[in-house]
Amino acid sequence: VQLQASGGGLVQPGGSLRLSCATSGFTWDYYSFGWFRQAPGKEREGVSCIDSTDDSTYYADSVNGRFTISRDRAKNTVYLQMNSLKPEDTAVYYCAIVRKGYSGSYILRGLGMDYWGKGTLVTVSS
């Protein structure tokens, strides 16, 4: 299983970025997908996820309305569109997968993820 996040960078407050998570080595229909982040000196937090049971999406309160998770089966890629970025969004962002069957709220806790990718750094600063 391989998960590779990309698309991070430096952006000004109010700007946008789209993160990508290229995946391989597993059957998509069996897994749900999540995006997580960890800011310096803080614990990792769940940002968004897609529950493959019914394709429902979930968001942390801190990003709801600003971030959008999506996926492209043809490209085996999961995306995180981030708009109206704030300095507090600065963090290393990770994608991860878990066998489907868990609720979105459970997935966002990040406790039982099966595989993690390497992160991509997002810095929001003027």
Side-chain angles (χ1 to χ4, degrees), residues 14-121:
S16 298
L17 280 176
R18 188 178 76 159
L19 304 183
S20 300
C21 178
T23 74
S24 64
F26 62 96
T27 303
W28 263 46
D29 288 341
Y30 296 163
Y31 287 87
S32 295
F33 299 81
W35 282 100
F36 301 82
R37 67 186 182 186
Q38 188 165 20
K42 295 187 176 180
E43 293 187 353
R44 184 185 64 208
E45 65 170 334
V47 175
S48 180
C49 65
I50 291 181
D51 180 351
S52 289
T53 302
D54 58 6
D55 281 346
S56 54
T57 57
Y58 299 83
Y59 299 91
D61 290 343
S62 57
V63 306
N64 197 23
R66 299 188 297 123
F67 290 11
T68 303
I69 190 171
S70 63
R71 55 185 177 176
D72 186 331
R73 291 177 182 270
K75 296 182 178 181
N76 288 337
T77 301
V78 181
Y79 302 99
L80 185 69
Q81 178 66 44
M82 306 186 297
N83 299 328
S84 302
L85 283 161
K86 305 175 181 180
E88 51 264 43
D89 294 318
T90 295
V92 177
Y93 285 72
Y94 302 88
C95 54
I97 60 173
V98 63
R99 279 275 185 174
K100 70 177 183 181
Y102 296 99
S103 68
S105 59
Y106 179 85
I107 295 172
L108 285 182
R109 292 166 61 188
L111 299 177
M113 306 308 285
D114 291 314
Y115 297 98
W116 292 84
K118 294 182 179 179
T120 185
L121 176 62

